[in-house]
Amino acid sequence: MMGQRILIIYTGGTIGMKQTREGLAPAADLAEEIRSLVELGPAFQQQPPILETLAYDPLIDSSDMRPALWLKLAIDIEKRYDDYDGFVVLHGTDTLAYTSSALSYFIRRWGKPVVVTGAQLPFGFPRSDARANLISAIEVACTMPGSLAQVCVVFGSRIMRGNRVTKISARAYDAFDSPRYPLLGKIGIDIEFQGSRRLTHGERLASRPLQAPADDSVAMVRLFPGISANLFNAICSAPSLRGLVLEAYGSGNAPTRDPALMDAIRAAVKRGIVVLVVSQPLDGVVSFDRYAAGSGLPGAGAISGGDLTPEAAVTKLYYLIACGLDAAQITRELQRPVSGEMSL
Ligand SMILES: NC(=O)C[C@H](N)C(=O)O
């Protein structure tokens, strides 16, 4: 029997960086290192996987990631979907949670693992996590049970649903967590999958052609004590704005004693801007009826994002815009999951 065929797409990030005078910067020779990778886990001793690589040009620090690139990544994977058993995406950690969320929506074929990973230290550095993360990602791509196959993030000791992760550390090797949803599995001496985290896909939108969404069609605002209607109006006056993620306090609370702010939100919604509310705490869920202070936002026409992470919320808005939906359709689609990103 042949080994699994895995395509490794290298987008950049610390995992393949080299030291330059300006600091760490992406370098191209990681693809060579991957090809010569022999130190694969026990799962491969009998049947080594067939690894192929696709390196992007230019390689980027993930701070340069853009919505159009999510679409390109999704198309690159979809085009090759039948040729491989699984996909590994090597990505910088800074915006990895956005990309893994975006891929869970933008890739509209299901049934194969798409594993996103990266590293906190470059491949060649002593004590780097790059090799371990890469090998774990390949092993997960080869062995993930079909019933569990989805866009996931493998990093440090955790296997997580792609649209549930958030970066929690710029220093620890366990840089990501899935605070609002259980892990898909754990990486220790063995890789242990949690078989019950099966995913049901919303297939409704899969036939709609995707257009790269404009960068400035989505914005994100985090509430803070002192936030003013003026500031909110200034952001919402951008003519291209279609959707706004509002990071509210706790279970969706906002300063309801500031009628000007609530009026500004109401006016934005009236102009066709979809306002999607998520919760600021790592382990937060929007539940507007818990506090009186939670009544302001739905009263102004904002929509609950439930337990969506901010990353999954922003990318979902971009995705629904990429599907060509209008404000009423976007509002409707936000109430249900596309790809397991929210609990109902
Ligand atoms: N650890 C990393 O990969 C950070 C890097 N700045 C990136 O996101 O590309």
Side-chain angles (χ1 to χ4, degrees):
M1 206 170 128
M2 293 251 291
Q4 306 276 86
R5 288 183 82 89
I6 304 295
L7 179 65
I8 301 173
I9 302 181
Y10 173 35
T11 66
T14 297
I15 192 164
M17 286 192 184
K18 293 262 149 76
Q19 196 68 52
T20 69
R21 249 186 286 158
E22 288 80 36
L24 291 172
D29 36 6
L30 184 65
E32 236 352 277
E33 308 235 25
I34 295 168
R35 269 190 285 274
S36 64
L37 208 65
V38 283
E39 189 197 304
L40 291 170
F44 299 124
Q45 270 153 23
Q46 314 256 304
Q47 252 178 53
I50 300 156
L51 304 179
E52 289 175 23
T53 51
L54 171 64
Y56 276 10
D57 184 13
L59 294 164
I60 56 167
D61 184 295
S62 75
S63 346
D64 282 316
M65 193 40 89
R66 293 271 180 283
L69 256 170
W70 300 330
L71 182 58
K72 174 181 162 43
L73 251 176
I75 292 172
D76 280 342
I77 291 172
E78 279 191 356
K79 268 198 315 219
R80 297 164 175 83
Y81 209 77
D82 295 327
D83 304 334
Y84 295 92
D85 299 299
F87 299 84
V88 171
V89 176
L90 303 182
H91 198 285
T93 58
D94 288 338
T95 62
L96 186 150
Y98 291 88
T99 297
S100 59
S101 297
L103 290 180
S104 77
Y105 311 133
F106 281 78
I107 300 173
R108 276 110 61 92
R109 296 202 53 189
W110 301 296
K112 295 187 178 177
V114 175
V115 185
V116 188
T117 194
Q120 295 284 56
L121 281 176
F123 217 86
F125 279 38
R127 291 198 310 102
S128 165
D129 53 337
R131 198 176 188 86
N133 283 349
L134 176 57
I135 293 171
S136 298
I138 295 170
E139 200 163 325
V140 168
C142 290
T143 57
M144 187 170 232
S147 58
L148 209 60
Q150 56 191 284
V151 176
C152 63
V153 172
V154 165
F155 212 102
S157 64
R158 301 184 178 121
I159 308 170
M160 297 154 282
R161 177 167 292 173
N163 51 34
R164 297 290 195 147
V165 299
T166 199
K167 183 170 174 178
I168 53 158
S169 175
R171 300 190 292 186
Y173 283 149
D174 272 325
F176 291 87
D177 205 351
S178 174
R180 303 178 186 185
Y181 191 75
L183 298 181
L184 299 182
K186 291 200 183 133
I187 297 168
I189 290 180
D190 296 312
I191 290 186
E192 288 169 19
F193 293 103
Q194 318 271 285
S196 62
R197 308 276 173 251
R198 210 189 167 97
L199 181 63
T200 43
H201 293 282
E203 309 205 7
R204 307 167 302 280
L205 297 170
S207 58
R208 282 187 173 256
L210 294 175
Q211 290 263 328
D215 289 353
D216 53 7
S217 55
V218 173
M220 193 168 185
V221 173
R222 186 175 166 94
L223 289 185
F224 57 92
I227 187 167
S228 69
N230 282 347
L231 182 80
F232 192 85
N233 280 330
I235 293 168
C236 290
S237 67
S240 45
L241 193 66
R242 309 265 326 272
L244 181 133
V245 172
L246 191 62
E247 285 189 76
Y249 304 125
S251 48
N253 306 322
T256 38
R257 284 166 186 264
D258 181 356
L261 180 62
M262 290 303 131
D263 286 348
I265 295 171
R266 194 172 296 108
V269 172
K270 257 212 178 108
R271 288 202 310 279
I273 296 171
V274 178
V275 178
L276 176 61
V277 182
V278 296
S279 169
Q280 291 187 9
L282 256 189
D283 183 16
V285 182
V286 173
S287 169
F288 286 135
D289 47 13
R290 200 171 164 82
Y291 290 90
S295 62
L297 291 174
I303 300 158
S304 167
D307 61 354
L308 276 180
T309 62
E311 295 91 333
V314 167
T315 49
K316 189 168 180 178
L317 280 176
Y318 272 121
Y319 170 68
L320 297 174
I321 292 166
C323 287
L325 305 187
D326 63 26
Q329 292 168 315
I330 292 175
T331 302
R332 197 167 342 112
E333 292 303 327
L334 286 174
Q335 330 272 336
R336 43 194 183 197
V338 172
S339 187
E341 72 279 9
M342 62 195 274
S343 318
L344 285 179

